[in-house]
Amino acid sequence: MIRQMTYAGLMALMASPVMAQSITEDAEITSVLVDNMIVTELTTICPSLSARTARVNKQAKAMMETITAKGYGAEEIQTLQDPAFLATLAEKSESFFAANGIEKRDTEAMCAFGKAQVAKRTPLGKLMKNR
């Protein structure tokens, strides 16, 4: 009897959806959002750079497909707009620039970095273009 209950319990667990991690802790999703923030900062600060709208939109669509595939719901998606989460993204963006030796107040360095990303065709560079 115990063996049957254990087997039935295991089958029930396997059939139920596994709770995904919090969407705000999902590295696959947050990395896209941080990249978007970095590109936005670079294209805002540097007048000679602009976003490749089609690529950014394609990346956003792929991210939404990932969100759907992972089973995140509308409430979880709303948490992506939470000020605390946005502050976390901003900190990651700051860390990225700091790790690359760039001070965000240095417009010249930001532009040079952005142009180098475009020239090297890095993942970030592919989201931007020279005007």
Side-chain angles (χ1 to χ4, degrees):
M1 180 74 168
I2 292 175
R3 183 176 281 161
Q4 289 175 336
M5 288 177 64
T6 304
Y7 179 74
L10 282 174
M11 293 310 291
L13 282 174
M14 289 172 55
S16 65
V18 177
M19 284 302 293
Q21 64 185 338
S22 167
I23 194 169
T24 59
E25 295 173 359
D26 191 314
E28 187 175 2
I29 293 166
T30 56
S31 69
V32 171
L33 295 172
V34 171
D35 285 354
N36 251 323
M37 186 173 277
I38 291 167
V39 167
T40 299
E41 289 174 302
L42 288 169
T43 57
T44 300
I45 289 171
C46 187
S48 62
L49 292 173
S50 63
R52 289 186 181 270
T53 308
R55 288 198 182 179
V56 171
N57 288 341
K58 183 178 177 181
Q59 183 188 51
K61 182 180 176 187
M63 183 184 71
M64 286 307 295
E65 289 170 357
T66 299
I67 287 170
T68 301
K70 290 185 175 189
Y72 293 116
E75 282 184 27
E76 292 163 310
I77 293 170
Q78 282 296 111
T79 63
L80 297 176
Q81 296 177 0
D82 179 65
F85 177 65
L86 294 174
T88 300
L89 294 179
E91 287 173 16
K92 290 181 181 191
S93 170
E94 290 282 341
S95 296
F96 172 83
F97 285 116
N100 284 284
I102 300 164
E103 192 172 316
K104 288 173 58 172
R105 289 177 283 181
D106 186 348
T107 303
E108 212 172 286
M110 291 283 283
C111 288
F113 178 78
K115 288 178 182 181
Q117 295 296 302
V118 171
K120 293 176 186 174
R121 305 220 12 98
T122 65
L124 282 176
K126 289 179 182 179
L127 297 173
M128 298 179 289
K129 62 183 176 184
N130 291 309
R131 288 187 186 189

